[in-house]
């Protein structure tokens, strides 16, 4: 299975393309779609959508896995993250792809074994699990972790732990 995983944000959207199953996975591509601060929010959202659309066209994933809504203390941050998530969902829906979402704690639990793991721990484990030569940037590492969590969810023994949602 080929998965496009996305850690949505308006300025730094992490993405990962991983192929494999619950037993063996390899990273095809990963990185961060970086949007300049000077770009207005509406254009930044369009750029996120276009960047993801281009990845979908290039790699032809079978599904998209996205980090679910997280709780933040700032209303402004919550609105911004929700808008980036919407841009992600629209890009995937436009391509006719199935979309799955995973709670941040469940992703960390699947990859690190601890739902409260820090970003450095997630990046370290992603690097180790995928045999990467470098530690990915945090946003890319988060996307890689989302993809790994999705593939783990395909294992009937782990699926109930992750409680994936098809949206």
């Amino acid at each position: 299975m080929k998965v496009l995983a996305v850690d949505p944000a308006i300025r730094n959207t992490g993405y990962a393309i991983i192929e494999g199953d619950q037993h063996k996975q390899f990273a095809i591509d990963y990185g961060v779609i970086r949007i300049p601060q000077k770009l207005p929010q509406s254009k930044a959202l369009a750029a996120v959508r276009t960047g993801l659309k281009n990845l979908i066209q290039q790699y032809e994933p079978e599904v998209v896995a996205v980090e679910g809504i997280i709780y933040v203390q700032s209303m402004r941050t919550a609105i911004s993250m929700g808008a980036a998530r919407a841009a992600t969902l629209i890009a995937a829906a436009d391509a006719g792809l199935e979309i799955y979402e995973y709670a941040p704690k469940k992703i960390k639990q699947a990859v690190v074994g601890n739902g409260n793991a820090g970003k450095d721990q997630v990046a370290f484990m992603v690097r180790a699990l995928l045999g990467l030569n470098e530690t990915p940037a945090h946003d890319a590492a988060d996307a890689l972790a989302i993809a790994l969590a999705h593939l783990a969810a395909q294992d009937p023994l782990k699926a109930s732990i992750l409680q994936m949602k098809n949206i």
Side-chain angles (χ1 to χ4, degrees), residues 11 14 18 35 43 46-47 51 54 72 75 78 85 87-88 90-91 94-96 106 108 122 150-151 158 161 163 167:
R11 302 296 169 187
I18 289 190
I35 310 298
K43 291 188 190 261
N54 292 340
V72 294
M75 182 63 81
R85 191 168 178 280
T88 300
I90 291 168
D94 282 349
K106 300 292 184 178
K108 292 173 183 179
V122 171
H150 178 74
L151 292 173
K158 295 180 183 175
I161 295 169
Q163 298 174 345
I167 55 174

Side-chain angles (χ1 to χ4, degrees), residues 1 8 10 16 29 55 75-76 92 106 109 115 126 129 132 135-136 157 159 166:
M1 171 182 299
I10 288 186
D29 189 15
L55 289 168
M75 182 63 81
R76 182 179 173 109
K106 300 292 184 178
Q109 180 68 36
V126 162
L129 290 169
L132 303 176
T135 302
L157 298 175
N166 186 339

Side-chain angles (χ1 to χ4, degrees), residues 16-109:
I17 307 287
I18 289 190
E19 191 159 13
D21 57 27
Q22 66 267 30
H23 305 292
K24 185 169 176 74
Q25 314 84 27
F26 66 94
I28 297 171
D29 189 15
Y30 58 91
V32 180
I33 300 170
R34 297 190 190 282
I35 310 298
Q37 289 290 338
K38 64 182 178 183
L39 215 59
Q41 181 173 333
S42 59
K43 291 188 190 261
L45 291 169
V48 168
R49 180 176 176 239
T50 299
L52 293 172
K53 179 181 171 186
N54 292 340
L55 289 168
I56 290 167
Q57 288 175 342
Q58 180 178 356
Y59 293 107
E60 300 178 342
E62 297 167 58
V63 298
V64 174
V66 182
E67 184 175 73
I69 296 173
I70 63 170
Y71 299 99
V72 294
Q73 294 184 0
S74 161
M75 182 63 81
R76 182 179 173 109
T77 301
I79 291 169
S80 172
M81 291 180 75
R85 191 168 178 280
T88 300
L89 298 178
I90 291 168
D94 282 349
L97 295 170
E98 287 186 64
I99 304 164
Y100 296 87
E101 74 174 306
Y102 298 92
K105 283 188 176 248
K106 300 292 184 178
I107 294 165
K108 292 173 183 179
Q109 180 68 36

